[in-house]
Amino acid sequence: MAVRASTVAKLPNLIRSLREGSPKPLNHALPSLRRTFSLYDQINLINNVPEDQLRFQGYNDTGFTVNKVEYEGSLLCVGNLLLSWKPKKFSEITSDSLSIFQILRPIPEILIIGCGRHMQQVDPELRRFIRSTGMKLEAIDSRNAASTYNILNEEGRIVAAAVLPYGVTS
């Protein structure tokens, strides 16, 4: 109990130091649930993630860092499979660019589309195609798409992410 009390007492100083920290680097790190859990409970609920499991660790305007390797351009992630993906802007995301989901088994329960810097409205035809495969769809900005993928993948859920670089604006 004393360890928890001392950790909680240090929290305001930690928050203040994070706010006053140096300017953000060009390659932005994604938030980690490991840090949050260890600060409050001294329990690391997600520390036992297998090393071969895909994990987005950062992003920049042109690509992503996944498992300590930097990738340029768009990525398609299914479970622990990572592929370079052709679309360079949101309007290029079509049923053809996602046709892998017609043959892939098991089908992911959710497809997270990272739209770039801003959320975009998904074309109804593309929405119908994704539903026809049996997946649910979530279209959000690429930074949050990467974080959501990490969380769902770490939970052991079958999830897919199709992400455009964060610098894409339309």
Side-chain angles (χ1 to χ4, degrees):
M1 196 67 171
V3 172
R4 183 176 181 164
S6 69
T7 303
V8 171
K10 294 176 186 175
L11 191 57
N13 292 334
L14 177 62
I15 292 171
R16 191 176 312 108
S17 69
L18 290 172
R19 286 184 183 151
E20 296 169 354
S22 61
K24 291 186 179 181
L26 228 36
N27 192 7
H28 308 285
L30 292 169
S32 171
L33 288 178
R34 289 181 180 91
R35 185 173 181 184
T36 303
F37 285 123
S38 64
L39 281 173
Y40 292 110
D41 298 325
Q42 295 298 310
I43 298 172
N44 202 331
L45 297 178
I46 319 177
N47 196 29
N48 298 324
V49 176
E51 289 190 23
D52 64 339
Q53 188 174 46
L54 288 183
R55 178 158 180 73
F56 284 91
Q57 295 166 313
Y59 66 95
N60 59 35
D61 284 349
T62 60
F64 300 90
T65 304
V66 181
N67 292 13
K68 300 179 184 172
V69 177
E70 291 186 21
Y71 295 91
E72 293 293 315
S74 303
L75 297 176
L76 184 63
C77 306
V78 182
N80 288 320
L81 175 66
L82 179 67
L83 304 167
S84 181
W85 192 42
K86 187 176 179 178
K88 304 265 187 268
K89 54 186 179 179
F90 187 77
S91 61
E92 295 175 3
I93 300 175
T94 63
S95 55
D96 286 341
S97 70
L98 297 171
S99 63
I100 189 171
F101 295 109
Q102 291 178 317
I103 58 171
L104 185 71
R105 298 295 180 264
I107 292 290
E109 64 182 88
I110 186 168
L111 171 62
I112 305 162
I113 295 181
C115 305
R117 191 172 304 273
H118 306 288
M119 289 180 19
Q120 302 282 330
Q121 192 75 339
V122 177
D123 181 60
E125 182 181 319
L126 181 59
R127 217 174 255 289
R128 277 191 294 280
F129 169 76
I130 292 168
R131 272 197 213 114
S132 75
T133 65
M135 293 184 291
K136 295 179 178 103
L137 173 66
E138 183 73 32
I140 52 181
D141 65 276
S142 292
R143 179 183 58 134
N144 288 311
S147 293
T148 302
Y149 175 85
N150 285 346
I151 292 167
L152 295 176
N153 199 27
E154 286 176 357
E155 288 176 355
R157 295 170 65 182
I158 300 173
V159 61
V163 292
L164 299 170
Y166 193 68
V168 173
T169 57
S170 63

